[in-house]
Amino acid sequence: MSPPGRPKGESPSAQREARPISPPGRPKGESPSAQREARPISPPGRPKGESPSAQREGSRVSQPLYTVAQLRAMEAAARSSLPAGTLMQRAGCAAAQHIHVTYGPQPRSILVLCGPGNNGGDGYVCANELRALGHRVRCLASAAPATDEAAVARAQWSGQTMSRLPTAADRHVADVVVDALFGIGLRRPVEGPHFEQLAWLRQQPAPVVALDVPSGLDADTGSWVGDVPGVCATSTVTFLGAKPGLYTGAGAEAAGRVLIDDLGASGWGVATDGRLNAPDQFAAVARPRPRNAHKGSHGNVAIVGGSAGMVGAALLAARAALRLGAGRVFVDCIGAPELRFDPVQPELMFRHRDAALLRSLQALVIGCGLGTSAEALAATQLALEQDCAVVLDADALNLIASAPQLERAARRPTRGVRICTPHPLEAARLLGSSVDEVQRDRVAAARRLAERLSSAIVLKGAGSVIAWPDGHYWINDTGSAALATAGTGDVLAGMLGALLAQGFGAAEAVLAAVWLHGRAADLHSADIGLVASEVAPLAVQALIRLRAAGGRGGDGST
């Protein structure tokens, strides 16, 4: 593979070294304890000059993702060394500070819904702190505390406690509503009075701040527990560490803006296989190119697809590959063999997938508008025999799902990396399951598929999941509903091909492509009106900003 630009001080021979296919571990020089640390709470409120859409943009620095079992272990370790109630006190105070800075400092009317567990205890502490800051605070509790710490917090609350929900006759309920009903431990569908509270919260026009996790959401999976819709928060202040369910599936919408506070317990961290995707995970891609770069330095990509009536899909992928820096881009449209020129992008070269072309490639992208004909099947079989990096998208995945010989070929070891980019329906076909099953636990589905196909998986959707065969995974939190339009997946496939061809490590190339693809929608700054052909130019803008910022985790935006 042709090399990317080498870092300052790196020797030419190091530049030519092939990068490992396995996913990156911790950054060079970072200690294991630093790798596990949860970052302190992000500053609440919108920075001066920041647009509302910028608040929803993806993470700039990666965070570890913890399951409920891992968080319980962290809680137990911290509680063994801290006075009783310390974590609850810290959690309630952190939430109160976020609310005060975001919605204050003038006094506000605030209603805190407190559940029976420790999440409710966090709510009582938050209410006390907000009251001390000058706000008008009431609590609502329909059940007595069920834990000792929650009972102590309730006893220390000296303000008004309501036992019923406000009625339609109550003209002004609150300026801010706090959801402290259920935390990470909810495992069965909410019912009875708590179900009524969730339904009421979903209808509130006031901002809703969730403590730890929006009530009703599975912290591990991002799906609603028992398929019962819960709280959709304006923001979520989550404790100890980030949870996968806040960033994917229903959680991507339900959590709103997520702020993380480790409660001073980062020293009790545990090892985890999951992380949020962010620019510090693909630092090599964010480095500027050397000035003496030329087209031969940045690899050759071929796009195979474009059956009759679907030529546009292959062209979208090819144009994106060219935009994202591939040295040369070849196109083989199996449904339009007569096509030899793209008037919109005359730099593209149209060639048949013969042996000479295949030998010259660093990356091959197959599936965009490919169809499922006999020729499409033969082309997919040929792609699976190549030793260069191969991106399998759309119909290539559908063919693998329906043809056992292709699935066997996909599982065979190869010197090049394979990347599969299914949407939920394609993932369901490959797994022999349903879309609902895939969406119920997107992380588990992506990890199963990565192991089954011995390939990296990009499970597309809200909070795309990137999974590796060894069990490591990332969740990407850039992007918006603006990407929910035809052809954006083809653009992502082309972007992947471009970065792989340039010689970046496989994991860095995949993480960068997915992050930049979503970031393009963030830069669009609306949830509608973005068409697929506009995505790659916006992604390039994002990459330019990253490189201008030196790849330090920001992209130069304000």
Side-chain angles (χ1 to χ4, degrees):
M1 285 188 184
S2 300
R6 68 176 184 267
K8 186 176 180 180
E10 185 182 3
S11 67
S13 60
Q15 187 186 15
R16 291 192 298 269
E17 285 179 7
R19 289 168 173 81
I21 289 176
S22 59
R26 62 178 180 270
K28 187 176 180 181
E30 183 185 16
S31 67
S33 60
Q35 185 187 20
R36 294 191 297 266
E37 279 185 10
R39 269 67 169 184
I41 194 166
S42 304
R46 189 163 74 241
K48 187 176 181 180
E50 183 185 13
S51 67
S53 62
Q55 281 188 287
R56 297 189 295 272
E57 293 169 4
S59 300
R60 297 296 184 273
V61 178
S62 179
Q63 299 279 354
L65 294 168
Y66 296 104
T67 65
V68 170
Q70 291 166 337
L71 290 163
R72 292 299 191 206
M74 292 166 67
E75 284 179 341
R79 286 193 169 110
S80 68
S81 301
L82 296 171
T86 300
L87 292 182
M88 184 174 289
Q89 188 68 28
R90 292 176 180 175
C93 289
Q97 284 298 316
H98 162 63
I99 294 166
H100 178 66
V101 174
T102 304
Y103 302 105
Q106 63 269 36
R108 298 290 189 184
S109 60
I110 299 171
L111 177 63
V112 184
L113 275 66
C114 298
N118 283 346
N119 194 246
D122 297 339
Y124 290 118
V125 174
C126 177
N128 260 330
E129 186 71 12
L130 287 168
R131 197 167 179 224
L133 290 167
H135 298 283
R136 303 182 299 277
V137 187
R138 297 176 294 167
C139 288
L140 187 149
S142 58
T147 70
D148 293 341
E149 287 189 12
V152 170
R154 169 70 182 266
Q156 291 174 344
W157 164 242
S158 56
Q160 179 186 357
T161 302
M162 305 160 55
S163 59
R164 64 170 183 83
L165 288 168
T167 66
D170 297 309
R171 293 187 177 181
H172 180 72
V173 174
D175 297 318
V176 182
V177 180
V178 178
D179 166 26
L181 289 172
F182 300 103
I184 61 175
L186 188 66
R187 282 293 175 266
R188 63 176 185 273
V190 177
E191 55 188 15
H194 295 310
F195 177 84
E196 296 175 11
Q197 290 170 349
L198 293 188
W200 180 83
L201 273 169
R202 289 178 66 87
Q203 301 300 317
Q204 288 314 295
V208 175
V209 178
L211 304 194
D212 208 17
V213 176
S215 290
L217 189 73
D218 188 311
D220 285 345
T221 67
S223 60
W224 296 117
V225 176
D227 294 326
V228 176
V231 174
C232 285
T234 309
S235 60
T236 298
V237 184
T238 198
F239 309 126
L240 292 177
K243 290 87 173 163
L246 297 176
Y247 299 95
T248 194
E253 175 76 15
R257 184 185 183 203
V258 179
L259 302 102
I260 305 166
D261 195 303
D262 65 11
L263 307 184
S266 60
W268 317 118
V270 298
T272 177
D273 292 329
R275 295 193 74 90
L276 276 178
N277 187 20
D280 63 345
Q281 299 292 285
F282 49 88
V285 179
R287 294 189 194 109
R289 288 178 167 184
R291 293 189 66 182
N292 64 347
H294 54 85
K295 64 184 179 185
S297 306
H298 301 297
N300 297 336
V301 183
I303 310 295
V304 180
S307 62
M310 296 295 290
V311 171
L315 292 180
L316 283 168
R319 293 170 185 172
L322 197 63
R323 285 279 185 177
L324 266 290
R328 301 181 186 89
V329 180
F330 302 94
V331 188
D332 180 3
C333 287
I334 68 172
E338 74 285 354
L339 186 61
R340 287 293 176 264
F341 176 69
D342 178 6
V344 174
Q345 203 77 68
E347 300 88 348
L348 299 177
M349 294 172 279
F350 291 79
R351 304 280 175 83
H352 187 265
R353 54 192 179 280
D354 57 23
L357 175 64
L358 293 172
R359 282 195 303 269
S360 74
L361 298 178
Q362 281 70 52
L364 171 64
V365 178
I366 184 165
C368 303
L370 181 68
T372 55
S373 65
E375 186 178 3
L377 191 149
T380 303
Q381 179 72 54
L382 183 63
L384 292 171
E385 295 169 359
Q386 303 310 305
D387 285 330
C388 64
V390 177
V391 178
L392 298 150
D393 186 46
D395 284 328
L397 298 174
N398 292 327
L399 286 166
I400 291 172
S402 62
Q405 72 273 24
L406 289 184
E407 182 172 334
R408 288 192 296 271
R411 292 178 181 176
R412 282 197 294 267
T414 178
R415 284 185 289 178
V417 67
R418 292 197 188 105
I419 316 294
C420 300
T421 58
H423 57 53
L425 177 57
E426 291 160 352
R429 289 170 180 154
L430 288 163
L431 289 168
S433 63
S434 68
V435 173
D436 285 346
E437 288 175 292
V438 169
Q439 293 292 77
R440 198 167 290 128
D441 193 339
R442 289 169 51 79
V443 171
R447 295 173 85 181
R448 286 200 310 273
L449 201 48
E451 182 180 11
R452 177 168 181 166
L453 296 180
S454 300
S455 303
I457 301 295
V458 178
L459 178 57
K460 296 180 287 194
S464 292
V465 180
I466 302 103
W468 228 256
D470 67 357
H472 285 84
Y473 74 93
W474 292 258
I475 296 178
N476 188 72
D477 66 339
T478 58
S480 73
L483 291 169
T485 186
T488 57
D490 303 313
V491 171
L492 175 60
M495 291 171 61
L496 283 163
L499 295 180
L500 289 163
Q502 291 171 69
F504 297 114
E508 286 189 289
V510 175
L511 295 172
V514 175
W515 191 91
L516 291 167
H517 186 259
R519 182 77 175 108
D522 296 336
L523 292 177
H524 177 67
S525 298
D527 62 359
I528 195 170
L530 180 68
V531 296
S533 59
E534 297 169 335
V535 172
L538 287 168
V540 171
Q541 286 186 30
L543 182 55
I544 290 169
R545 292 183 182 188
L546 278 179
R547 289 181 173 176
R552 293 186 296 271
D555 66 358
S557 61
T558 57

